[in-house]
């Protein structure tokens, strides 16, 4: 069988879904990941959710084209509010900002807290997402970096375990500890890119005065120092 070709980012996300699970893909867009996994017989069943009718219609067309309509449920609605507890085993929430993912998890804790695994891929504010997870009882199982064209994407596998609020160094909100522990092959590039971004911010602050500017410069300099320390571990 000729499988749907996924981008590197989507392919990596799909590879993290465990075999024979019931999957929900939230913000499914065209439904590419669940269609790919169903065609490979990796998963039993999928719920495809999207807050907008247009993307859900696109997903339905993809499902119909692949003759998978009996293995999916298409649901129009916000985030994981379209799900009931124990309807699925694993949930993908990908391609959204970290703050929005936080809001989605908070909006239906009955589902978020009972799911075997969450696969989260924030497009922005990953540090806000990690902070939320650490402070709200979630365990980060693993993290991954994937390169697609000129960008590095972060993917977080986690589950709710009711852990006490975890107090960690702020730099680990920005660079996931799991990435460091396993020395992800893309970690060096990832950290170097973070350093470049912060150095660019410093350059833009050159020639500006005031207490607020000085305070911001000192925070950025400290972050650059911490990033360099991680690079040299």
């Amino acid at each position: 069988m000729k499988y749907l070709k996924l981008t590197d980012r989507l392919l990596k996300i799909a590879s993290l879904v465990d075999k024979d699970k019931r999957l929900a893909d939230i913000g499914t867009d065209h439904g590419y990941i669940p269609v790919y996994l169903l065609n490979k017989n990796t998963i039993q069943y999928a719920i495809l959710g999207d807050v907008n009718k247009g993307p859900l219609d696109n997903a339905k067309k993809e499902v119909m084209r692949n003759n998978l309509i009996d293995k999916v449920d298409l649901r129009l609605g916000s985030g994981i509010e379209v799900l009931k507890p124990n309807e699925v085993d694993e949930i993908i929430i990908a391609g959204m900002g970290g703050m929005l993912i936080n809001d989605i998890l908070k909006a239906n804790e009955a589902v978020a807290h009972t799911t075997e695994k969450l696969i989260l891929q924030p497009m922005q504010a990953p540090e806000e997402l990690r902070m939320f997870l650490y402070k709200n009882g979630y365990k980060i199982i693993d993290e991954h970096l994937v390169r697609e064209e000129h960008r590095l994407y972060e993917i977080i596998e986690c589950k709710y375990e009711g852990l006490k609020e975890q107090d960690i160094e702020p730099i680990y909100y920005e660079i996931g500890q799991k990435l460091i522990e396993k020395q992800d092959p893309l970690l060096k590039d990832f950290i170097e890119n973070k350093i470049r971004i912060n150095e660019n911010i410093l350059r833009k602050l050159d020639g500006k005065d005031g207490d607020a500017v000085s305070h911001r410069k000192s925070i950025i300099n400290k972050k650059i120092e911490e990033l360099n320390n991680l690079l040299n571990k």
Side-chain angles (χ1 to χ4, degrees), residues 190-203:
F190 184 61
I191 295 174
E192 285 175 346
N193 187 54
K194 293 269 187 187
I195 291 169
R196 279 193 297 274
I197 290 167
N198 282 283
E199 285 174 343
N200 285 337
I201 294 168
L202 273 185
R203 276 193 285 275

Side-chain angles (χ1 to χ4, degrees), residues 3-232:
Y3 298 125
L4 179 73
K5 185 165 171 54
L6 299 183
T7 65
D8 291 339
R9 176 178 68 93
L10 297 185
L11 194 60
K12 183 64 180 178
I13 293 167
S15 76
L16 302 175
V17 177
D18 294 307
K19 190 162 176 57
D20 295 326
K21 299 297 184 183
R22 299 166 301 161
L23 176 71
D25 185 26
I26 301 301
T28 195
D29 197 14
H30 285 75
Y32 290 149
I33 292 176
V35 165
Y36 172 83
L37 292 171
L38 284 165
N39 275 335
K40 288 188 74 179
N41 292 316
T42 301
I43 57 173
Q44 298 177 19
Y45 162 80
I47 295 173
L48 284 60
D50 208 289
V51 71
N52 295 308
K53 187 175 182 298
L56 204 63
D57 287 343
N58 290 335
K60 185 175 182 180
K61 286 174 190 168
E62 194 64 41
V63 166
M64 299 285 282
R65 187 158 43 240
N66 285 270
N67 298 312
L68 294 169
I69 199 69
D70 59 331
K71 292 186 177 181
V72 306
D73 194 355
L74 296 133
R75 297 186 186 175
L76 182 66
S78 178
I80 59 174
E81 290 175 72
V82 300
L83 301 173
K84 298 185 187 74
N86 303 311
E87 269 195 302
V88 295
D89 307 303
E90 300 185 7
I91 299 174
I92 294 170
I93 309 175
M96 305 177 201
M99 298 289 281
L100 178 54
I101 295 174
N102 294 350
D103 290 342
I104 286 171
L105 295 178
K106 283 188 285 189
N108 192 346
E109 290 184 340
V111 166
H113 288 183
T114 54
T115 301
E116 287 178 18
K117 184 165 76 173
L118 301 161
I119 301 168
L120 312 176
Q121 187 270 299
M123 299 296 271
Q124 305 91 26
E127 67 283 353
E128 295 288 347
L129 175 55
R130 283 193 192 91
M131 187 185 299
F132 171 83
L133 296 173
Y134 279 121
K135 290 183 180 297
N136 289 277
Y138 290 85
K139 178 184 179 181
I140 294 179
I141 301 162
D142 205 351
E143 295 204 40
H144 313 270
L145 294 170
V146 60
R147 191 191 302 280
E148 188 172 292
E149 295 178 347
H150 303 299
R151 182 168 175 180
L152 287 171
Y153 294 93
E154 299 164 74
I155 307 167
I156 300 170
E157 294 181 82
C158 65
K159 69 176 293 189
Y160 181 78
E161 289 197 346
L163 302 173
K164 287 194 294 187
E165 183 177 328
Q166 298 162 78
D167 186 26
I168 65 164
E169 293 293 322
I171 195 66
Y172 295 119
Y173 295 138
E174 195 145 341
I175 309 289
Q177 285 178 300
K178 292 291 182 185
L179 297 174
I180 298 162
E181 284 171 15
K182 69 180 187 181
Q183 286 295 295
D184 188 286
L186 293 169
L187 181 63
K188 183 173 181 286
D189 287 358
F190 184 61
I191 295 174
E192 285 175 346
N193 187 54
K194 293 269 187 187
I195 291 169
R196 279 193 297 274
I197 290 167
N198 282 283
E199 285 174 343
N200 285 337
I201 294 168
L202 273 185
R203 276 193 285 275
K204 287 175 183 172
L205 293 174
D206 272 352
K208 295 182 179 177
D209 299 313
D211 290 345
V213 173
S214 295
H215 179 63
R216 191 161 183 221
K217 281 181 179 177
S218 86
I219 289 171
I220 294 168
N221 276 314
K222 183 173 186 291
K223 189 185 286 188
I224 291 170
E225 182 185 344
E226 289 172 334
L227 288 167
N228 273 309
N229 287 341
L230 290 179
L231 201 57
N232 297 318

